[in-house]
């Protein structure tokens, strides 16, 4: 393709679909999230190749333009892509364009979308401790007359909180861009989506200590219910500063 005729998404899909070395095409990003693509969005496409296969498509490795971003990967590497890692959510909500493995690509993506019991429990415990740490620092800084530090710690705590809540539901946390999209389509059990988003917005923006404490009370109850009491109890008397007054 020349500079005047850049490779388009549709043209590449047609080219890849005709190549027997390609066992899967997986679209991620904005175009995989209904209603999220804009005039600035590109097509992020995984090109999954049969293990050991050779293909002329290798010349497109690392291809990246405003229209099309390609990742060429072997099937073996695709199985482990994003697990663990930042890419996991993108693959969890990816859209299959081509699956030559009789549903094998779909099964790989389904597995990425769910944390197993051990991974979810371990991750939730770690995120709970990180959330408590930032919350504690926020309310302590507010008490000690450090409003900027209190707000920054409050904003940090929300990131850890979201990781925790999604881990409790055995799901990878969505990128911030897709948080509203994800929760309106796939709500977290036991949480009202509208209320949760409003609380996240307010705490991130204002560091409201009273609201942080009320939220923590709900989180503490939910965490203890599923066996994370030891993580919380390790905070000892410091829990009193985090709980509602």
């Amino acid at each position: 393709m020349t500079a005047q005729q850049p490779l388009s998404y549709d043209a590449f899909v047609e080219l890849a679909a005709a190549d027997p070395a390609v066992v899967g095409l997986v679209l991620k990003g904005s175009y995989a999230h209904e209603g999220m693509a804009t005039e600035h969005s590109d097509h992020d496409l995984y090109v999954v190749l049969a293990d050991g296969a050779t293909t002329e498509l290798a010349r497109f490795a690392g291809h990246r333009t405003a229209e099309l971003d390609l990742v060429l990967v072997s099937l073996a590497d695709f199985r482990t892509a994003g697990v663990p890692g930042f890419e996991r959510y993108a693959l969890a909500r990816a859209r299959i364009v081509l699956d030559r493995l009789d549903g094998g690509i779909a099964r790989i993506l389904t597995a990425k979308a769910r944390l197993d019991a051990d991974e979810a429990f371990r991750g939730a415990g770690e995120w709970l401790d990180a959330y408590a740490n930032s919350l504690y620092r926020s309310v302590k800084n507010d008490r000690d007359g450090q409003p900027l530090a209190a707000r920054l710690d409050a904003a940090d705590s929300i990131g850890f909180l979201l990781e925790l809540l999604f881990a409790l539901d055995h799901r990878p946390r969505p990128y911030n861009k897709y948080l509203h999209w994800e929760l309106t389509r796939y709500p977290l059990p036991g949480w009202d989506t509208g209320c949760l988003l409003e609380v996240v917005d307010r705490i991130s923006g204002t560091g409201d200590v009273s609201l942080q404490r009320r939220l923590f009370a709900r989180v503490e109850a939910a965490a203890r219910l599923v066996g994370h009491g030891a993580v919380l109890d390790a905070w000892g008397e410091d829990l009193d500063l985090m709980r509602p007054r």
Side-chain angles (χ1 to χ4, degrees):
M1 297 292 174
T2 67
Q4 289 73 34
Q5 296 177 309
L7 180 62
S8 72
Y9 168 75
D10 290 334
F12 181 82
V13 168
E14 183 178 355
L15 187 66
D19 190 329
V22 177
V23 296
L25 294 173
V26 176
L27 182 67
K28 65 184 182 71
S30 297
Y31 278 103
H33 290 71
E34 182 181 2
M36 289 297 294
T38 72
E39 61 181 308
H40 305 294
S41 299
D42 64 356
H43 292 82
D44 295 296
L45 190 68
Y46 265 85
V47 184
V48 186
L49 304 173
D51 292 331
T54 57
T55 172
E56 292 186 359
L57 294 179
R59 71 185 188 274
F60 293 112
H63 177 91
R64 186 170 189 175
T65 67
E67 159 77 5
L68 182 61
D69 187 357
L70 298 177
V71 177
L72 275 65
V73 63
S74 70
L75 178 59
D77 287 342
F78 184 68
R79 291 184 188 279
T80 59
V83 183
F86 186 70
E87 190 79 348
R88 185 166 189 171
Y89 174 76
L91 290 169
R93 293 295 179 216
R95 180 165 66 84
I96 296 172
V97 179
L98 176 69
D99 186 346
R100 284 203 173 106
L101 300 180
D102 296 324
I105 297 295
R107 288 190 290 273
I108 291 171
L109 292 179
T110 297
K112 295 179 189 297
R114 297 295 296 174
L115 284 61
D116 65 35
D118 289 341
E119 181 185 12
F121 187 84
R122 182 175 62 254
E126 293 171 355
W127 294 121
L128 174 61
D129 194 49
Y131 165 60
N133 185 38
S134 286
L135 168 65
Y136 176 72
R137 290 177 181 277
S138 178
V139 296
K140 186 173 67 170
N141 281 323
D142 179 79
R143 179 199 64 191
D144 295 342
Q146 299 288 339
L148 174 59
R151 290 195 303 273
L152 291 174
D153 286 323
D156 287 345
S157 77
I158 291 301
F160 298 132
L161 170 69
L162 292 172
E163 295 280 5
L164 166 62
L165 295 183
F166 280 95
L168 289 174
D169 196 35
H170 293 211
R171 291 155 61 184
R173 173 192 167 183
Y175 306 150
N176 292 333
K177 176 180 180 177
Y178 302 122
L179 178 63
H180 186 276
W181 186 97
E182 179 77 15
L183 288 177
T184 54
R185 288 161 177 78
Y186 309 98
L188 289 166
W191 293 87
D192 177 274
T193 292
C195 290
L196 177 58
L197 288 172
E198 181 181 357
V199 167
V200 164
D201 187 16
R202 285 181 57 193
I203 290 176
S204 297
T206 70
D208 186 320
V209 169
S210 178
L211 186 58
Q212 287 193 75
R213 285 173 168 148
R214 294 198 302 273
L215 178 60
F216 178 72
R218 283 203 59 187
V219 174
E220 179 178 9
R224 289 188 182 279
L225 190 63
V226 295
H228 290 293
V231 174
L232 292 160
D233 291 338
W235 282 86
E237 295 181 358
D238 289 336
L239 285 173
D240 293 337
L241 192 61
M242 305 182 216
R243 289 169 172 157
R245 296 298 176 85

